[in-house]
Amino acid sequence: MEQLGFKVCSVSGLIDTKQLDNYSCGVAGLDEFIKYDYQDLERKHITSLNAVYLDDVLVGMFALSTSSSSASFADANREKIFGDASGMKSLPMINIDHLSVNKPFQFGNGLDGLHLGTAILKYIFKMLLDVGAQYGIAFAGVMVESLPDPVDFYISNGFYFIDKHEEDAPNKKTYTLAISYDDMFKVYE
């Protein structure tokens, strides 16, 4: 990400939060999270919202937390993602609680076709892989509870439906997808 000039900082550490007032990803629920919901969750140490800047312009946001993937059985999708570890009752995970791109910069607009959502996701992967290696923190992968529209984005970036039944269920409000620690390397490359 250094080649893009990304600066990432915790929203709670920002001195000037006025740029948040004009930030919108175009999805009301996600915008509400940024404007109102994250503060209480941060106070409770449940998630942490981060701002992504490119040349001092707020282009994206993401929030992460720790989580676990629990299952009473391992179906084909869980086995595809986690391999031998899929049979474990609970797997340590990092959860993407929020990932968005500011509406003016979505779909490569204004940035020579650069797909900021993918770039931010790769930044998250690199950061997590580095932290895991540097501090010896083990986690099986990354999960996200995705709205229906971004599901294809996550799949194109290496995620799979964690549960085969959910993959085949149309018209859900959200879908749980995951990518393994090992597969994060492949996407990041």
Side-chain angles (χ1 to χ4, degrees):
M1 285 304 137
E2 291 76 26
Q3 71 272 16
L4 294 178
F6 271 174
K7 284 191 318 188
V8 176
C9 59
S10 171
V11 169
S12 62
L14 292 176
I15 294 170
D16 181 10
T17 59
K18 290 179 186 161
Q19 282 188 322
L20 296 179
D21 296 338
N22 298 322
Y23 185 92
S24 174
C25 67
V27 178
L30 296 178
D31 288 343
E32 287 174 20
F33 177 84
I34 292 167
K35 291 182 177 24
Y36 312 109
D37 300 339
Y38 85 90
Q39 294 168 333
D40 186 47
L41 295 172
E42 276 195 355
R43 272 192 296 278
K44 295 176 183 174
H45 303 287
I46 295 172
T47 195
S48 181
L49 184 63
N50 297 280
V52 180
Y53 291 91
L54 187 58
D55 298 327
D56 295 326
V57 176
L58 180 60
V59 296
M61 308 283 280
F62 68 88
L64 303 174
S65 65
T66 58
S67 185
S68 67
S69 171
S70 300
S72 57
F73 65 93
D75 72 8
N77 283 20
R78 189 171 163 94
E79 288 174 8
K80 182 193 303 187
I81 299 167
F82 302 113
D84 292 341
S86 65
M88 296 182 71
K89 187 171 181 139
S90 180
L91 297 170
M93 302 291 288
I94 302 295
N95 197 62
I96 297 174
D97 299 323
H98 178 93
L99 174 61
S100 66
V101 173
N102 204 348
K103 194 147 178 75
F105 304 103
Q106 291 178 0
F107 307 107
N109 291 334
L111 295 171
D112 298 325
L114 176 67
H115 295 275
L116 282 173
T118 297
I120 293 169
L121 190 60
K122 287 181 179 183
Y123 175 90
I124 292 168
F125 288 170
K126 180 177 181 348
M127 178 186 65
L128 293 174
L129 293 168
D130 288 349
V131 166
Q134 183 174 357
Y135 298 103
I137 299 171
F139 59 96
V142 173
M143 279 189 338
V144 64
E145 190 172 336
S146 175
L147 296 170
D149 287 343
V151 164
D152 289 338
F153 162 78
Y154 286 109
I155 290 172
S156 70
N157 282 290
F159 285 75
Y160 296 97
F161 289 93
I162 202 164
D163 182 332
K164 181 71 174 154
H165 294 96
E166 191 168 287
E167 179 179 9
D168 298 332
N171 304 321
K172 287 188 65 166
K173 289 184 181 181
T174 63
Y175 295 89
T176 305
L177 297 108
I179 184 170
S180 72
Y181 184 95
D182 293 336
D183 285 343
M184 288 168 55
F185 278 108
K186 296 173 189 169
V187 171
Y188 176 71
E189 296 175 335

